[in-house]
Amino acid sequence: MNTTAIFSHLREANTHGNTVFLLSNRLYQTVAQVWSELPGVKLVYEPLSNYNKEYLTLLSTLDITIKCSNQDLLENLTRKQNVLIGTENLTSSLVKSAYTRGFNNFSVSRESRDVAKITNILGDNFGLTREISKGEGTETILKDIMSGNSAQEICLGVVESLSEVRALKDLIMDLRRKLPADTVLSVEIGQELFQSTALIATKIIGMDIQGGQTRYDIDMSMFEEFVSYLDMGHRFTVHSQLEARTTSFSSVYGNTGDEDDLILEGNIGELDVGDWILIGNVGQADCRDST
């Protein structure tokens, strides 16, 4: 989706709140590239709990499985979405609520005791995904799998870059030769790989003009990771509305009130409170651009 189309969509959509996470063309391309490197492997992504229903619906267009480890996120998911229930801080209420909503695939690590907890609640009416460390060799992984509860799916851990994706190819080929043919293999797309290809649309919530320079304040409350990226000197890509009236030397700040949370400074379009801007390159520090 190009920036013109995004701004048009934002004006027409009944968007609640000041910040929206969007899926860019580059994210679709990255997911397609992962699939091309690992054909037949299931892709899993765990969003942060504060993403809204609109964003989770967009995730479904990627045809990936959403991993959910908390009640807040679960309440924003629908039966139409592929969902894997993570068992970090697992509670009986999460198990029961997930099952009631039609989600019965649970992810557990080798040393996890959560299988017994889930069995006590659901009996045998659930699927199991076993999380395995991708750094282990084939024989160690096979031993871990055989010594634990039988699993319909094996997750080979989190990948944060395309180089990590490529490093899994030989391991996956080896496992497929030795595991039952109906075993599903999956990998989890990490936050750095996912966010570095995404866009954030955020509203101008305040502005101040001093000495001929305009300062725009935006809402960063949903994205605490911005603060750490700013500390590392991370450079973001900012797109202002193409139909903005003129350009002037301006700055864009987060709403923390801290002079150190400068996101961008330079010539951008003149904006008003309530206007949207797009921030790209919101992920890993070595990413330089976004679509």
Side-chain angles (χ1 to χ4, degrees), residues 44-289:
V44 177
Y45 174 65
E46 182 170 17
L48 302 178
S49 61
N50 53 10
Y51 289 145
N52 57 26
K53 291 181 180 179
E54 291 177 350
Y55 175 65
L56 295 173
T57 300
L58 282 175
L59 281 183
S60 297
T61 66
L62 292 171
D63 195 25
I64 62 178
T65 296
I66 299 172
K67 185 176 180 181
C68 171
S69 300
N70 65 77
Q71 191 73 37
D72 291 339
L73 180 57
L74 181 65
E75 291 176 358
N76 284 330
L77 296 170
T78 69
R79 291 177 181 268
K80 296 181 180 180
Q81 293 162 316
N82 296 320
V83 176
L84 174 66
I85 304 299
T87 53
E88 182 180 354
N89 302 319
L90 186 70
T91 63
S92 297
S93 60
L94 179 63
V95 174
K96 292 176 181 177
S97 181
Y99 187 74
T100 300
R101 291 171 179 267
F103 308 136
N104 63 348
N105 189 3
F106 293 83
S107 175
V108 297
S109 61
R110 176 176 47 134
E111 53 281 319
S112 174
R113 299 178 180 178
D114 290 322
V115 177
K117 184 185 299 184
I118 300 169
T119 302
N120 289 336
I121 300 171
L122 301 180
D124 296 326
N125 299 316
F126 66 93
L128 189 65
T129 295
R130 184 162 295 282
E131 297 178 356
I132 300 294
S133 172
K134 62 180 180 290
E136 299 178 9
T138 304
E139 298 305 321
T140 302
I141 292 176
L142 290 172
K143 183 179 179 181
D144 288 345
I145 294 170
M146 300 308 176
S147 63
N149 300 73
S150 59
Q152 300 168 329
E153 182 176 325
I154 309 299
C155 181
L156 298 174
V158 180
V159 290
E160 296 286 6
S161 66
L162 288 174
S163 61
E164 289 187 14
V165 170
R166 298 184 186 102
L168 286 175
K169 295 173 73 170
D170 290 341
L171 173 62
I172 288 172
M173 290 178 59
D174 201 13
L175 288 174
R176 280 180 169 155
R177 286 194 294 265
K178 297 175 180 179
L179 289 171
D182 60 351
T183 304
V184 176
L185 297 178
S186 65
V187 296
E188 183 175 339
I189 302 176
Q191 297 293 342
E192 288 190 355
L193 180 59
F194 201 93
Q195 292 179 9
S196 65
T197 55
L199 286 169
I200 289 173
T202 184
K203 281 182 181 178
I204 304 294
I205 60 174
M207 59 183 292
D208 182 42
I209 301 176
Q210 293 184 358
Q213 181 175 342
T214 304
R215 166 176 168 157
Y216 299 110
D217 294 324
I218 62 171
D219 185 2
M220 288 182 8
S221 57
M222 282 181 62
F223 302 96
E224 295 177 1
E225 65 269 25
F226 266 8
V227 177
S228 61
Y229 287 136
L230 288 167
D231 289 344
M232 294 188 297
H234 183 67
R235 297 182 65 84
F236 299 97
T237 305
V238 175
H239 309 274
S240 58
Q241 299 181 74
L242 298 181
E243 59 274 18
R245 291 156 291 284
T246 59
T247 61
S248 62
F249 193 77
S250 309
S251 56
V252 178
Y253 280 82
N255 62 337
T256 64
D258 190 338
E259 286 297 318
D260 291 335
D261 71 354
L262 174 67
I263 293 173
L264 176 130
E265 192 170 48
N267 290 303
I268 63 174
E270 286 188 359
L271 302 169
D272 292 321
V273 173
D275 284 345
W276 291 90
I277 63 173
L278 302 179
I279 302 178
N281 186 22
V282 297
Q284 57 195 14
D286 62 355
C287 181
R288 289 288 177 263
D289 59 1

